[in-house]
Amino acid sequence: MIDTMTQWFLHHQQLAGYLEPIMQRFKPAWRAGFYRAEVACIEPINEKYLELWLAPESTWPIHKAGQHLELTVEMNGQLRTRVFTIASSPEQYRASGLVRLLIRTHELGRFTPHLTTYLASESWCNISAPQGTFLFPQRKMGSTLMIAGGSGITPFLAMLSQHLSEACNPVKLIYIARTGEHLAEKELNALAARFAHFSYFPIGRAEFKPLTHYLNDLDAPVVFCCGPQAVMEQVATQSLAANVTYFDEPFGLATHINMAERTEHVVKVAHNQYAVDNQRSLLDQLEQQHVSVRRGCGMGICHQCQCVKKQGLVRDMRTGALSDAGESLIQLCVVQAVTDVEIAL
Ligand code: FES
């Protein structure tokens, strides 16, 4: 009712849309449905990573170690959103009011390379409530083996900071990255020096040994893994073979798909047709052809790219599952065409 009256009298679809510019005069970055966060500090760590400290507004629900959030920044008049794991613990947030993100900057990306242009200390952005279930189980555990690859270290930084002082069971971290690209080395070395039950092994990809090598001295181990798809697949398979409990957090999509042969298809949108193949996501290919599609996280989390598929088969890039041929909701960023497809945007 309120929104209908808003459409009649204020010429806006929703009351929030009318209020937004007014509210933003008093509360920078105020947006209905988002939390606000002030930038406490943003600075490069090295050529590839940025460290961003945010002070969320007081209504933000405190995260659990291992969770992620959606970061939304207005860039050139457009809201852009990406998902990042929080690299600091709830205790650190309670003590300082700050959360930390470690962000890999992708040279050709539409978001990360522009962050330092649009964010500076004391500027504002939006964040979502914390999300995700990659958490330490509440039950008592034996020992823990953590395997991190590249920026997959971020949830472990939060977990270690939270749990090392709470438990004394052995925790071993294997951190795989290129030489010189291990993040937070000082912090991890300091934790290893302070807690006798924590050991830390920074290694290169080529040095990564079969899982049993790392499990040998651990009693009743539980394995946690976060990193590139290939590492997670290897660790998952070997955990299964070793009969140990395994948890993982994929922070990227499995962009490969076993459709060895490249095929071409047509995507119909209203009266237009676009050529796509079966190798990349529909979102990437439609964007490339300047179709006006909504992109958020690009990882199947935020649902901003969701639309109705009217007909045709698509494959979910995360699971390999095929859709049926009829009408269904799809997320463009995580599906590839298997046949010609018609969608309504
Ligand atoms: S862009 Fe976030 S789910 Fe597709």
Side-chain angles (χ1 to χ4, degrees):
M1 179 66 180
I2 289 176
D3 284 339
T4 308
M5 290 176 68
T6 307
Q7 284 167 28
W8 285 352
F9 297 115
L10 304 176
H11 308 291
H12 276 263
Q13 289 300 310
Q14 294 185 324
L15 184 59
Y18 174 74
L19 288 179
E20 206 166 276
I22 302 170
M23 289 296 291
Q24 285 180 0
R25 290 181 176 220
F26 309 101
K27 292 189 159 208
W30 184 90
R31 288 187 176 86
F34 290 83
Y35 292 96
R36 301 185 322 128
E38 187 175 11
V39 175
C41 173
I42 178 166
E43 54 187 32
I45 302 175
N46 57 32
E47 280 176 8
K48 290 195 178 159
Y49 285 91
L50 283 175
E51 185 172 49
L52 173 60
W53 286 93
L54 294 173
E57 63 183 328
S58 57
T59 52
W60 188 69
I62 300 179
H63 66 291
K64 297 189 175 81
Q67 286 192 303
H68 53 259
L69 54 71
E70 292 165 18
L71 171 67
T72 300
V73 180
E74 187 171 341
M75 295 181 171
N76 210 8
Q78 274 187 335
L79 289 182
R80 293 190 190 155
T81 302
R82 296 291 184 275
V83 175
F84 300 101
T85 303
I86 301 166
S88 52
S89 70
E91 284 345 317
Q92 287 170 308
Y93 175 65
R94 284 191 190 96
S96 65
L98 300 176
V99 293
R100 173 177 66 166
L101 305 180
L102 296 178
I103 297 176
R104 167 112 200 238
T105 51
H106 297 278
E107 215 179 312
L108 301 175
R110 297 173 69 227
F111 187 86
T112 53
H114 309 296
L115 276 175
T116 47
T117 308
Y118 291 97
L119 293 182
S121 292
E122 297 182 21
S123 64
W124 290 81
C125 57
N126 296 107
I127 56 174
S128 68
Q131 304 162 7
T133 54
F134 187 58
L135 310 170
F136 256 43
Q138 291 303 307
R139 66 187 168 79
K140 275 204 158 181
M141 293 197 308
S143 48
T144 304
L145 174 63
M146 296 174 165
I147 297 180
S151 56
I153 190 66
T154 47
F156 296 125
L157 293 174
M159 287 179 180
L160 290 167
S161 160
Q162 179 80 24
H163 291 280
L164 286 178
S165 54
E166 291 175 356
C168 53
N169 295 330
V171 178
K172 188 194 281 188
L173 169 67
I174 313 296
Y175 180 14
I176 310 160
R178 290 207 181 101
T179 310
E181 292 187 10
H182 292 89
L183 294 176
E185 280 221 279
K186 257 193 194 164
E187 188 174 324
L188 291 165
N189 283 325
L191 288 174
R194 183 168 159 215
F195 297 101
H197 57 292
F198 172 58
S199 50
Y200 162 55
F201 302 90
I203 59 170
R205 181 75 177 89
E207 295 162 70
F208 187 47
K209 300 201 163 56
L211 195 67
T212 45
H213 174 84
Y214 304 109
L215 292 171
N216 275 344
D217 55 344
L218 296 177
D219 189 28
V222 173
V223 177
F224 288 78
C225 183
C226 181
Q229 193 71 22
V231 172
M232 291 200 303
E233 279 174 12
Q234 179 182 341
V235 175
T237 309
Q238 294 180 358
S239 296
L240 195 67
N243 199 23
V244 294
T245 309
Y246 170 79
F247 299 91
D248 70 14
E249 172 77 324
F251 67 92
L253 282 177
T255 48
H256 71 277
I257 190 155
N258 283 337
M259 297 165 81
E261 214 175 296
R262 180 176 184 278
T263 55
E264 294 186 349
H265 307 285
V266 168
V267 175
K268 196 168 166 212
V269 187
H271 299 298
N272 299 314
Q273 299 200 340
Y274 303 93
V276 297
D277 62 31
N278 65 341
Q279 303 290 305
R280 290 173 300 146
S281 75
L282 285 183
L283 185 69
D284 283 349
Q285 297 186 73
L286 291 175
E287 267 182 342
Q288 207 171 38
Q289 296 176 65
H290 309 293
V291 182
S292 172
V293 279
R294 290 190 62 178
R295 173 188 281 270
C297 62
M299 306 168 69
I301 295 172
C302 72
H303 289 260
Q304 288 197 42
C305 64
Q306 185 164 290
C307 71
V308 175
K309 172 181 69 66
K310 298 180 88 70
Q311 56 183 351
L313 286 180
V314 294
R315 187 188 301 264
D316 189 310
M317 295 160 67
R318 297 165 296 185
T319 60
L322 279 184
S323 71
D324 59 31
E327 193 165 304
S328 63
L329 282 177
I330 58 170
Q331 289 161 272
L332 290 171
C333 68
V334 289
V335 296
Q336 295 163 313
V338 176
T339 64
D340 290 350
V341 177
E342 181 178 354
I343 58 174
L345 291 175

